[in-house]
Amino acid sequence: MTMPALQADAAARPPRIGLLDTARGIALIAMASYHFTWDMEFMGYLAPGTAETGWLKIYARAIATTFLFIVGISLALSSTPTIRWSSFWKRFGTIAAAAAVISIATRVAMPDTWIYFGILHCIALLTLIGVVFVRLPLAFTLLVTIALLAAWILDNFGTPGLLRSSFFDPRYFAWIGLAETPQRSNDYVPLFPWATPFFVGLSIALITVRTRLPHRLAAIGTGFWWPARLGRHSLAFYVIHQPVLIAIAYGLSLVVPPPQSDPVETYLGECNSACVKQQGEALCRSFCQCTLDRLQAQSLLTPLQAGKIDLQNDERVQTIAGECSAEAQ
């Protein structure tokens, strides 16, 4: 590309938008606050399931939605007027490598709930998908966005489970997001429904780059300079923040040990935490209370919590789960 062509390309690029960096930085701070709640639960300061039920569950989903929405906007802006492939592949490679490191680290540290497809995995794959859509006609991208929104509404407010199948339950298909009962993970962000906020952000940005709106937004100063600065280094913050927060929680446990947990509350919290990822909270409360009562009646609760019972293969536990699931429906 000649020098005049490079200058024309640079002039046509949307300017960096400080408000977008600030929004990303605030989302990072919110994410860290949620993860610290999870860490405090992990160390025993909060009841099991606290971080994955009630308003904290809504908080976590709002944070993930915000991130993916911003990722969609950023991809469209960085790909205008043309895709800078060297920068694109460098960014994608960094995200993919970070996702791989997280999978390996959690597989070693938490083999039962390791992160096989978390938010970084989702961002990496959506980046590859999105770069195709920025080169397609806008109308096609808008149609896909509308279809995803319709599928999300149907799944949440229409006929829950209609789009899902046990065929997608194994990990090698669960990343798609159509599993009935996906394998447990400490961070599970499959393509469906999480491609929805990404495509909404992508569509909005592709529309606005055809106007002067990005330049108007870039002209707005942001008083929150440090969140904006943080937002420019989001990946580094994401990779570093959790080890730091876990170290803080662990250090606190050495100084002020957490209280001893009640076995019944521990079971109900862990059961609800695992259940609500696939079912509603009301159904999960009924199911978990039912299984608790039957485990206690058969003197199975203590050996189960001590790890002396294989949840996946013990026929007694499987029978209890099946009967309680039928009663809770």
Side-chain angles (χ1 to χ4, degrees), residues 192-256:
F192 181 79
W194 296 105
T196 308
F198 170 84
F199 267 88
V200 170
L202 185 71
S203 297
I204 291 174
L206 288 174
I207 293 171
T208 57
V209 293
R210 302 183 178 202
T211 70
R212 295 291 299 174
L213 182 59
H215 294 79
R216 295 191 188 100
L217 292 176
I220 300 175
T222 59
F224 306 107
W225 67 269
W226 64 269
R229 189 172 181 179
L230 183 63
R232 297 187 190 108
H233 304 282
S234 57
L235 184 59
F237 180 88
Y238 185 91
V239 173
I240 294 170
H241 85 283
Q242 188 63 314
V244 172
L245 293 177
I246 291 176
I248 293 172
Y250 176 72
L252 181 62
S253 73
L254 298 178
V255 179
V256 184

Side-chain angles (χ1 to χ4, degrees), residues 158-192:
T159 307
L162 180 64
L163 303 177
R164 302 179 185 277
S165 169
S166 58
F167 174 80
F168 296 99
D169 284 356
R171 285 194 181 96
Y172 48 81
F173 283 141
W175 58 270
I176 298 171
L178 301 180
E180 285 184 349
T181 311
Q183 300 290 321
R184 290 187 63 190
S185 175
N186 281 321
D187 185 26
Y188 178 54
V189 188
L191 282 185
F192 181 79

Side-chain angles (χ1 to χ4, degrees), residues 56-271:
L56 281 170
K57 178 181 178 181
I58 298 172
Y59 185 48
R61 291 187 174 184
I63 294 168
T65 298
T66 302
F67 266 118
L68 291 166
F69 177 74
I70 293 174
V71 170
I73 292 175
S74 299
L75 179 63
L77 294 178
S78 65
S79 302
T80 303
T82 58
I83 300 169
R84 288 168 284 169
W85 288 110
S86 59
S87 298
F88 171 83
W89 288 118
K90 181 180 178 181
R91 177 70 175 170
F92 169 77
T94 305
I95 296 171
V101 168
I102 287 173
S103 287
I104 294 169
T106 56
R107 186 70 176 88
V108 172
M110 297 170 284
D112 293 334
T113 56
W114 67 287
I115 299 173
Y116 57 90
F117 203 82
I119 192 162
L120 284 186
H121 303 73
C122 188
I123 289 173
L125 185 53
L126 284 173
T127 298
L128 286 179
I129 295 171
V131 79
V132 175
F133 277 85
V134 297
R135 296 167 65 88
L136 293 175
L138 177 59
F140 190 74
T141 303
L142 293 176
L143 284 174
V144 172
T145 303
I146 293 170
L148 285 169
L149 285 168
W152 179 83
I153 293 171
L154 176 65
D155 192 55
N156 285 273
F157 304 104
T159 307
L162 180 64
L163 303 177
R164 302 179 185 277
S165 169
S166 58
F167 174 80
F168 296 99
D169 284 356
R171 285 194 181 96
Y172 48 81
F173 283 141
W175 58 270
I176 298 171
L178 301 180
E180 285 184 349
T181 311
Q183 300 290 321
R184 290 187 63 190
S185 175
N186 281 321
D187 185 26
Y188 178 54
V189 188
L191 282 185
F192 181 79
W194 296 105
T196 308
F198 170 84
F199 267 88
V200 170
L202 185 71
S203 297
I204 291 174
L206 288 174
I207 293 171
T208 57
V209 293
R210 302 183 178 202
T211 70
R212 295 291 299 174
L213 182 59
H215 294 79
R216 295 191 188 100
L217 292 176
I220 300 175
T222 59
F224 306 107
W225 67 269
W226 64 269
R229 189 172 181 179
L230 183 63
R232 297 187 190 108
H233 304 282
S234 57
L235 184 59
F237 180 88
Y238 185 91
V239 173
I240 294 170
H241 85 283
Q242 188 63 314
V244 172
L245 293 177
I246 291 176
I248 293 172
Y250 176 72
L252 181 62
S253 73
L254 298 178
V255 179
V256 184
Q260 292 295 320
S261 58
D262 182 285
V264 170
E265 290 184 2
T266 298
Y267 173 79
L268 289 175
E270 292 177 345
C271 177

